[in-house]
Amino acid sequence: MSNTSNRRADRREFVSTLLGKLPDALVVTGLGSASYDVFAAGDRPGNYYLWGAMGGAAPLALGLALAQPEKSVVCITGDGEQLMGIGSLGSIAAKQPRNLTIVVLDNGHFGETGMQRSHTSLGTDLVAVAKGFGIANAFGIDGIEHCNDVAEHAASRRATTFVRVAIQVNEPPRALPPRDGTYIKNRFRAALGFAPF
């Protein structure tokens, strides 16, 4: 697996392939493109889509992983969203939930606000940041062929995992998931066997 290659994966293909290998995982998405990618891969009650909660995906996934230790929890987000919530990596490292996998789709741009360059295209190494916070199992990948490795980490629930996926700089057609937060919350709760509230 590589942290420095100039190769980049197709985001939709990567997300679809990864989730196809993790049919029972609970999935939390970062806002914008990550939500569109997960929805395009196939809507399911175990997907928790965030709308407008920039920086909130990883901390929400942390809480979920702690509350559901027998389930694989996968957070799929983008570099801009993760940069906004960078401090959450410290909390994740402090708690070390073995069932949590953070997947950051990194194109080095803020896709929702006009494709301005993000910090990751200006020198920030998210893998180094995650390791600095104390997430030992942090690595970068750059191709679809590494999808099996990521799926294996997530399914095994052996260690907190952070994966930076170098993706192409493009904007696939938007596939919009439900925008009703109450509906998403209650559908997700029902998938876990809980009543709505």
Side-chain angles (χ1 to χ4, degrees), residues 19-51:
L19 294 183
K21 296 175 184 300
L22 296 167
D24 298 321
L26 302 176
V27 180
V28 176
T29 70
L31 61 85
S33 296
S35 287
Y36 311 152
D37 295 338
V38 170
F39 183 71
D43 188 30
R44 56 188 183 184
N47 292 349
Y48 197 95
Y49 306 104
L50 289 183
W51 285 95

Side-chain angles (χ1 to χ4, degrees), residues 62-115:
L62 169 61
L64 182 60
L66 294 173
Q68 297 289 324
E70 301 306 313
K71 303 268 190 186
S72 295
V73 176
V74 179
C75 173
I76 298 180
T77 191
D79 51 306
E81 203 271 348
Q82 185 57 70
L83 284 161
M84 179 67 80
I86 202 72
S88 65
L89 298 179
S91 297
I92 290 167
K95 299 305 286 186
Q96 294 287 332
R98 295 184 300 169
N99 59 327
L100 177 59
T101 301
I102 306 290
V103 177
V104 179
L105 304 173
D106 184 2
N107 64 7
H109 291 77
F110 295 107
E112 298 307 301
T113 59
M115 295 300 281

